[in-house]
Amino acid sequence: MPPHTLDRIVIVGGGTAGWMTAAALARFVRNGRTKIRLVESDEIGSVGVGEATIPPIVAFNSLLGIDERDFVKATQATYKLGIEFDGWLREGEAYIHPFGDYGRDVDAIKFYQLWLKQRSKEAIPPLEAFCLSAVAARKGRFAPPSPDPRSVLHTMAYAFHFDATLYAAFLRKFAEAHGVQRTEGKVVDVNLNGATGFIESVTLQSGEVVQGDLFIDCSGFRGLLIEGALETGYETWTHWLPCDRAVAVPCEANGPPIPYTRATARRAGWQWRIPLQHRIGNGHVYCSAYETDEAARETLLANLDGATTAEPRLLRFMTGRRRKFWNRNCVAIGLSGGFMEPLESTSIHLIQAAISKLIALFPDKRFNPVEASEFNRLTAMQFEQIRDFLILHYKATERQDSGFWQYVRDMDIPDTLATKIELFRSKGRIFRFEDELFGEANWVSVLLGQGIVPSAWDPMVDSLSDADLRRNTAQIYQAIQQTAEQLPRHEDFIQRFCAAEPV
Ligand code: FAD
């Protein structure tokens, strides 16, 4: 074994971030020497929300070797085919940002470009009608995608809604079975090396001192190690993403779970609705400069499907990111690294992405700074790309019904986003930057959904005759509608393959 191999990794925090990290490291760091220990405090508890995900979570579970249906059962999960944005452009109008592709490209020309040209000539169904995930979502149907690229079902993609507390418990079981040692205890002190500033150990309330070579800060918003001890600094994005509070409450369901998340715009923010097998998760994200806590709570409680099953909880946050995610021998993963509101369900994905990067740049005891700096560069870029995508939802609105919507409509936006919008406005072009999470289909659905319509189409489309264009569109439309109609109902699929124990 090389002499510099890490002996001890200490993870502080046992929320979603802590247990995802513990599970993944236990699965992949199997050198026979490195020990992984997780410290969490029952007294402090975890944030307990974070129940909607995006498709890469499927790969995370699969890399860990987790049986998907066991996972769905254990976490009261449902399948998610996209997000419906209700009232974001104008009150009373809704669109779906689906997972998966639109139509079928022709000679490397994107389907949505063909659609743009055709819609300029005649009335055709909305773009949504050419995406199987969106059509299946609207019809309340679900089946896993087909691996056969010739099948329409291949164009579908999915994620999950799950109970965050059950997910952490599920991963804990997995991680402990793979050798992670869990310690219940509150960290009361972080001990730094006087010469290097590296973290040497953390002291628990019990007096125990837990030493480590690498520390992962999964302590949530407080950033106990990365900020509390290392004073890394935080870059705020509240001028672009001004929502700073959420009130969350679960309620009873009044029907079968729909296979998508709903995000409904409200006077000074928006409300989420996440259907699980045993309940519905709800929350109202809002901006405290334009809405009182009491009014936000009332709005939430007035817009639920059924009776509440717990007391509403208030959460405060500040959108932005840590200036460095990896500082010395400490890596911040989860809320300790930064937060953007859950509009596109990206936080759990950012945890997963940070874990992948940490594994790809796994350090030894020498902590070569180039590894940390590459981790920081890649993570910052990913945060900023997601930030721009979220800002788009606010900026491109026609709502004027409150000071909040007027503010976001009129605010300046990052140049990176302004360029993207202009490029799309011109001929509907979108370019995915290095490894960007959201690709063309994602951007197209939100740009069009938010009322940004290109003034022309890509000239390459003109190589197709109008007759070919019409035939192609009609065939795809029919294939998608028929396929969606034949899929099982979402609730039947769950009942048949992965129903959780009733609670
Ligand atoms: P936490 O859950 O806060 O866990 C922190 C852990 O650190 C806990 O175990 C705590 O006990 C421990 N800890 C803290 N201090 C100490 C100490 N001194 N000693 C010992 N242990 C300590 N993400 C999504 O992907 N989808 C969503 O739909 C979504 N919705 C959200 C809605 C809201 C309103 C908010 C605020 C977040 C949402 N998120 C969502 C984000 C998601 O909840 C988090 O990314 C995820 O739960 C990870 O949280 P965490 O593990 O970093 O922090």
Side-chain angles (χ1 to χ4, degrees), residues 12-18 39-41 44-52 185-187 218-222 224 246 272 274 315 317 333-336 339 342 345-349 351:
V12 174
T16 307
V39 181
E40 67 175 317
S41 158
I44 294 175
S46 65
V47 76
V49 281
E51 308 196 316
K186 186 169 166 184
V187 173
C218 295
S219 65
F221 286 128
R222 50 180 61 76
L224 199 65
W272 79 75
I274 299 177
L315 297 137
F317 54 82
I333 297 184
L335 298 172
S336 62
F339 182 63
S345 319
T346 43
S347 281
I348 292 172
H349 176 75
I351 296 171

Side-chain angles (χ1 to χ4, degrees), residues 276-325:
L276 308 181
Q277 290 192 37
H278 62 322
R279 62 166 167 81
I280 298 176
N282 309 278
H284 182 187
V285 174
Y286 59 100
C287 176
S288 63
Y290 295 94
E291 188 85 311
T292 63
D293 295 342
E294 199 38 49
R297 192 183 134 107
E298 271 172 26
T299 301
L300 177 67
L301 295 177
N303 289 286
L304 299 178
D305 288 45
T308 57
T309 55
E311 273 301 298
R313 285 181 54 210
L314 178 70
L315 297 137
R316 292 161 206 265
F317 54 82
M318 185 191 283
T319 51
R321 70 166 177 91
R322 206 62 65 193
R323 290 198 187 281
K324 287 182 190 168
F325 302 90

Side-chain angles (χ1 to χ4, degrees), residues 138-449:
R138 292 257 185 238
K139 289 181 187 290
R141 296 184 179 264
F142 177 78
S146 159
D148 179 357
R150 289 162 308 177
S151 159
V152 184
L153 253 185
H154 185 71
T155 61
M156 200 142 120
Y158 68 98
F160 308 100
H161 304 118
F162 55 63
D163 181 314
T165 310
L166 295 177
Y167 185 49
F170 179 82
L171 290 178
R172 174 179 164 189
K173 212 157 144 193
F174 176 95
E176 287 184 320
H178 284 76
V180 172
Q181 185 195 348
R182 172 191 184 256
T183 303
E184 200 289 311
K186 186 169 166 184
V187 173
V188 289
D189 218 347
V190 181
N191 311 304
L192 306 183
N193 179 297
T196 63
F198 276 44
I199 301 175
E200 286 186 336
S201 60
V202 291
T203 307
L204 308 188
Q205 202 163 35
S206 61
E208 187 188 355
V209 175
V210 180
Q211 291 184 316
D213 304 314
L214 170 67
F215 287 81
I216 318 275
D217 187 345
C218 295
S219 65
F221 286 128
R222 50 180 61 76
L224 199 65
L225 278 56
I226 196 81
E227 197 59 53
L230 298 180
E231 298 177 352
T232 304
Y234 195 77
E235 183 178 316
T236 61
W237 291 337
T238 48
H239 48 301
W240 290 315
L241 296 170
C243 288
D244 57 355
R245 290 190 193 176
V247 55
V249 75
C251 77
E252 288 171 3
N254 63 359
I258 52 173
Y260 57 93
T261 306
R262 181 173 294 138
T264 307
R266 299 277 180 232
R267 212 180 65 88
W270 60 278
Q271 180 171 336
W272 79 75
R273 180 188 184 280
I274 299 177
L276 308 181
Q277 290 192 37
H278 62 322
R279 62 166 167 81
I280 298 176
N282 309 278
H284 182 187
V285 174
Y286 59 100
C287 176
S288 63
Y290 295 94
E291 188 85 311
T292 63
D293 295 342
E294 199 38 49
R297 192 183 134 107
E298 271 172 26
T299 301
L300 177 67
L301 295 177
N303 289 286
L304 299 178
D305 288 45
T308 57
T309 55
E311 273 301 298
R313 285 181 54 210
L314 178 70
L315 297 137
R316 292 161 206 265
F317 54 82
M318 185 191 283
T319 51
R321 70 166 177 91
R322 206 62 65 193
R323 290 198 187 281
K324 287 182 190 168
F325 302 90
W326 182 336
N327 188 0
R328 293 169 222 176
N329 62 337
C330 172
V331 181
I333 297 184
L335 298 172
S336 62
F339 182 63
M340 287 173 277
E341 57 185 89
L343 193 51
E344 287 281 356
S345 319
T346 43
S347 281
I348 292 172
H349 176 75
L350 282 166
I351 296 171
Q352 175 184 343
I355 295 168
S356 311
K357 288 194 246 315
L358 175 60
I359 290 173
L361 289 160
F362 202 68
D364 60 27
K365 285 181 186 166
R366 291 169 293 187
F367 284 96
N368 188 335
V370 76
E371 290 157 359
S373 108
E374 185 62 359
F375 182 94
N376 288 329
R377 185 184 75 80
L378 294 171
T379 310
M381 186 169 71
Q382 190 165 41
F383 262 73
E384 282 158 21
Q385 289 166 343
I386 293 173
R387 176 201 68 194
D388 284 4
F389 192 52
L390 299 188
I391 296 171
L392 170 66
H393 297 64
Y394 287 104
K395 175 72 183 170
T397 182
E398 292 177 10
R399 290 186 75 114
Q400 305 221 37
D401 51 309
S402 70
F404 173 78
W405 288 105
Q406 281 158 19
Y407 170 80
V408 292
R409 250 178 73 132
D410 295 343
M411 69 186 170
D412 289 334
I413 54 173
D415 292 346
T416 37
L417 175 59
T419 308
K420 259 194 155 125
I421 293 176
E422 277 323 300
L423 210 50
F424 187 75
R425 253 193 233 288
S426 157
K427 293 193 183 67
R429 286 170 177 134
I430 293 164
F431 293 93
R432 188 177 197 156
F433 295 106
E434 285 178 50
D435 223 12
E436 187 173 351
L437 171 62
F438 292 112
E440 280 175 328
N442 308 103
W443 279 91
V444 167
S445 56
V446 176
L447 283 158
L448 288 175

